[in-house]
Amino acid sequence: MGSDGMPAGTVVSRGTEVAGDDVASSDGHVVWRRTLAIFVHLAEAMIVTAIIAEMAATIVSIVSRHFFNSPLTWTDDLSSICLNLIAFLGGAVAVQRGRGMSLDLFVQKMPERWSEIARAAGIWVGIIYVVRVLMTTPEFLKQAQISRTPNLRLPTTYSAVWVPVGCVRLGAFLIDRLLRVRSREVLIGGAAAVIGAAVVLGIGKLNEQGVLAIP
């Protein structure tokens, strides 16, 4: 019997259960981190490939135009596709690595608690933006399927698809950053971001209805 009047085996069982929960949580964390790492490596490989392809197309176009007097117009279409891939996947990877563009002069001067709330609010704003873009994606891709590139006559979907792909990865990386922030700051920052987004969208809606006259 244990000191609390319960069989000793019961105490060991509870300890084993708690340890099992910790292991399960750790396993889930490892899977999440590995999945994100795969996303990053795959995105980086695609970005490097797109950069090389764009550089090669540019060089070939210059050589063809200046030495053979035969411009290659299809290189413009290829460059447009590569540029979208680089921009949207590259932006997501930059955020994941903490190298995205940001103006944090005022955040750095805040007390630690308030700076954490401000950073959490910033992450929430990014997530709201991603959700907003993805809500318009079906119609966006539908329109892209109709139009064609000027030279190769390919559906502009080849270029447009990198917008939602990049946003999905950006959303995953933002959620990962949010998971590293304490729960209280996440909740307060989320509330601030939602209120701010509601104000901005409300002003936009009033402006569309003619109630306001903001250029």
Side-chain angles (χ1 to χ4, degrees), residues 16-39:
T16 303
E17 182 180 353
V18 172
D21 291 342
D22 292 340
V23 171
S25 176
S26 177
D27 289 344
H29 183 72
V30 169
V31 171
W32 169 254
R33 305 298 285 171
R34 287 181 177 176
T35 302
L36 288 183
I38 292 173
F39 276 3

Side-chain angles (χ1 to χ4, degrees), residues 7 21 35 47 62 92 100 106 108 123 137 151 153 185-186 210-211 215:
D21 291 342
T35 302
I47 292 168
I62 292 173
F106 299 104
Q108 290 179 355
I123 297 172
T137 293
N151 300 301
R153 306 304 298 169
E185 281 74 9
V186 169
V211 179

Side-chain angles (χ1 to χ4, degrees), residues 38-210:
I38 292 173
F39 276 3
V40 171
H41 293 322
L42 181 59
E44 288 177 336
M46 296 174 69
I47 292 168
V48 170
T49 301
I51 291 174
I52 294 174
E54 186 169 10
M55 291 176 60
T58 301
I59 293 172
V60 169
S61 178
I62 292 173
V63 171
S64 178
R65 182 172 64 250
H66 287 280
F67 291 96
F68 300 100
N69 195 27
S70 177
L72 300 177
T73 56
W74 59 266
T75 56
D76 294 337
D77 294 350
L78 178 61
S79 295
S80 176
I81 295 173
C82 290
L83 183 61
N84 268 5
L85 187 155
I86 294 167
F88 288 97
L89 292 190
V93 172
V95 167
Q96 194 275 338
R97 296 193 178 282
R99 297 176 182 174
M101 295 179 62
S102 62
L103 181 61
D104 57 357
L105 174 64
F106 299 104
V107 176
Q108 290 179 355
K109 294 182 178 298
M110 292 179 178
E112 182 178 356
R113 179 186 173 186
W114 287 104
S115 67
E116 288 295 320
I117 293 175
R119 294 182 194 280
I123 297 172
W124 274 114
V125 169
I127 293 175
I128 293 172
Y129 163 78
V130 167
V131 172
R132 184 77 177 94
V133 172
L134 292 178
M135 286 173 60
T136 64
T137 293
E139 183 63 27
F140 174 62
L141 292 181
K142 182 180 178 180
Q143 294 297 325
Q145 183 68 29
I146 298 174
S147 59
R148 293 288 187 270
T149 58
N151 300 301
L152 292 177
R153 306 304 298 169
L154 295 173
T156 53
T157 311
Y158 286 98
S159 180
V161 70
W162 300 113
V163 177
V165 170
C167 283
V168 168
R169 297 194 177 192
L170 175 61
F173 297 148
L174 288 171
I175 292 173
D176 179 61
R177 292 185 60 186
L178 201 62
L179 292 175
R180 304 179 189 181
V181 183
R182 289 176 296 187
S183 300
R184 184 173 182 178
E185 281 74 9
V186 169
L187 293 176
I188 298 175
V194 169
I195 293 172
V199 170
V200 171
L201 293 175
I203 291 175
K205 182 63 66 174
L206 292 175
N207 201 42
E208 290 177 1
Q209 296 174 354

